[in-house]
Amino acid sequence: MHDLDPRKQRLLRAIVIEYVTGMEPVASDMLVQKYDLGVKSATVRNELAEMSELGYLEQPHTSAGRIPSDSGYRFYVDKLIVEKAINLGQQKALKDASEDTEALQDLLRDTIKVLSRATNQLGVATTTKDSSITVRTALVSAMSPTQALLVVALSNGHIENRLIECPKNLTLEDLGATNESLRLHVVGKDLKSLTKSKPVAAENPVRDKLLALVWVQLRTIAKLLTRGKLITEGEEFLFSKPEFQRDAGALAELFRQLDETDVLYDAVSPKAEVVTIGKENRSEQLHRFSVVRKGYYIGGQEVGVVAIVGPTRMDYDGSIPLVNFTADALSRSLTRFFG
């Protein structure tokens, strides 16, 4: 990311604010009239052209003004944002919603409903299952010359079975070596660590292929059993956005796909970044959106995430502090009652 001098930073901030508010490309003449820049329109036009070349701005049409690019929003969030204070009414509503502890899912739904209304975006919450469950046994047994059965028994008594297509020329000695690798590297491990684990190379092509196939199933089992619930509120706010009003059918299809896959759950799962913008989201289905997220805790253990999802043209100054406040309020309430 190229750095911007103070004037370009002022221009980028002004363009983000104006575009988020009005959703119209921002012209240099308007910037000169509205902001005390101390330069003429021609100078501003040159600056905007340079910022476009650097990738911070886009021009929808040749005769139009500029709008922020994903990189422009990223620079804004990282360096220019001025977080807005949360008004007392919003604070009270979020605190009240986060303190109804009759049932966790009801609590989360009520809380993100308030968050969704406060931000006018899609509110999302996730819960995680107990990822501290460990593997008690893991064995691969031959079922036929072409198939093997992986059996995984867990510390809570749960058992998972998976059929595996055997690589060619697999021998009983290869199965024995694979089971020894499972004993050394899988048994006793918790599911959370298993979701990111990789097989240890056996330096034997057939065994390495079998290990790779086994580990695919192990990671799938671990992800399935550590996956919690996904709760959403406020889809209507996205349908009301000008970006999507002319494409409501496509947005409805997107919601259907998100509901039937793990795309949204994965998108709001804990990450180093509080905000992901446009193409920073791994799934192509979310390249028109930004996600603002923060984990919530019981004591020191993260038990889920609250987030909002909306167009990249988002009020980051107001949305980020609201998400942070909501997650912190949930953490305090859950720790007080269950910590």
Side-chain angles (χ1 to χ4, degrees), residues 107-174:
L107 167 68
L108 290 174
R109 189 169 298 282
D110 290 345
T111 301
I112 64 165
K113 187 179 293 184
V114 176
L115 176 62
S116 176
R117 289 172 181 168
T119 58
N120 289 317
Q121 309 290 359
L122 177 69
V124 183
T126 65
T127 64
T128 57
K129 289 186 179 179
D130 186 359
S131 57
S132 64
I133 295 170
T134 57
V135 177
R136 193 172 64 198
T137 59
L139 291 169
V140 180
S141 304
M143 300 293 289
S144 73
T146 59
Q147 284 190 322
L149 180 68
L150 170 66
V151 180
V152 180
L154 303 176
S155 58
N156 63 352
H158 184 73
I159 296 176
E160 287 282 334
N161 302 310
R162 293 289 190 277
L163 278 175
I164 295 173
E165 297 297 319
C166 296
K168 291 182 179 179
N169 303 318
L170 183 71
T171 66
L172 291 177
E173 288 78 11
D174 295 329

Side-chain angles (χ1 to χ4, degrees), residues 232-293:
T232 60
E233 286 288 339
E235 287 88 348
E236 66 273 14
F237 291 116
L238 291 191
F239 280 103
S240 71
K241 302 293 182 186
E243 292 95 328
F244 306 127
Q245 283 183 343
R246 286 176 291 183
D247 205 11
L251 187 60
E253 173 62 16
L254 172 64
F255 276 124
R256 186 191 66 77
Q257 293 177 18
L258 294 180
D259 196 44
E260 294 177 358
T261 67
D262 293 331
V263 168
L264 190 53
Y265 187 100
D266 292 338
V268 302
S269 294
K271 292 178 174 63
E273 306 91 348
V274 173
V275 182
T276 47
I277 300 166
K279 292 185 175 70
E280 293 175 356
N281 293 302
R282 187 179 305 171
S283 171
E284 186 177 349
Q285 294 162 299
L286 294 173
H287 283 180
R288 297 170 67 187
F289 298 87
S290 287
V291 181
V292 181
R293 65 180 69 72

